[in-house]
Amino acid sequence: MGRMKVEIKKIENVTSRQVTFSKRRNGLIKKAYELSVLCDVDLALILFSPSGRLSFFSGRKRVEEVLARFVNLPEHERGPYVDIVALISIGFVTSFVYLLFFYLMRTLVFL
């Protein structure tokens, strides 16, 4: 028997939503890892859980390096959906790097 097709809509039950997020996050990170190894690509995956907890993955390069590479692309190569000037003006890139640094430091302290 095959798997059932899941209707794509918000899961209303908070516990079920968190469990689904956790399982799918792990699957997504696994696929990102496989893609980075098999195809030798630089990638960064940044996720925030429904509760606001940060999860991230990067392949061969650090997340900051991949983000910097993206930010430095000419606008026509980045695509129409990201306004880097707006992100920088609100401090997104700097804030993200600091947030990531403090998250990593906190995680290392409790290992």
Side-chain angles (χ1 to χ4, degrees), residues 2-69:
R3 296 183 183 179
M4 292 177 46
K5 186 169 183 153
V6 176
E7 183 181 353
I8 302 300
K9 66 175 187 163
K10 181 179 178 181
I11 300 170
E12 296 301 327
N13 182 295
V14 176
T15 304
S16 295
R17 184 169 51 235
Q18 183 60 40
V19 168
T20 300
F21 173 79
S22 180
K23 288 180 179 179
R24 287 183 176 243
R25 177 195 61 217
N26 292 338
L28 185 60
I29 290 172
K30 181 180 176 183
K31 291 293 183 185
Y33 167 75
E34 291 171 356
L35 184 64
S36 71
V37 171
L38 292 172
C39 301
D40 193 31
V41 296
D42 297 331
L43 61 88
L45 179 63
I46 303 166
L47 303 164
F48 288 94
S49 73
S51 63
R53 185 169 174 223
L54 171 68
S55 298
F56 61 91
F57 171 80
S58 63
R60 298 175 299 132
K61 295 186 178 181
R62 297 183 354 241
V63 173
E64 297 90 347
E65 292 172 345
V66 176
L67 279 176
R69 184 174 167 192

Side-chain angles (χ1 to χ4, degrees), residues 38-103:
L38 292 172
C39 301
D40 193 31
V41 296
D42 297 331
L43 61 88
L45 179 63
I46 303 166
L47 303 164
F48 288 94
S49 73
S51 63
R53 185 169 174 223
L54 171 68
S55 298
F56 61 91
F57 171 80
S58 63
R60 298 175 299 132
K61 295 186 178 181
R62 297 183 354 241
V63 173
E64 297 90 347
E65 292 172 345
V66 176
L67 279 176
R69 184 174 167 192
F70 177 75
V71 167
N72 291 324
L73 282 174
E75 186 175 338
H76 69 276
E77 289 184 32
R78 273 197 312 266
Y81 305 109
V82 179
D83 184 355
I84 296 300
V85 175
L87 291 177
I88 292 171
S89 69
I90 61 171
F92 173 80
V93 174
T94 304
S95 298
F96 177 76
V97 170
Y98 285 125
L99 173 67
L100 191 57
F101 172 76
F102 287 118
Y103 175 79

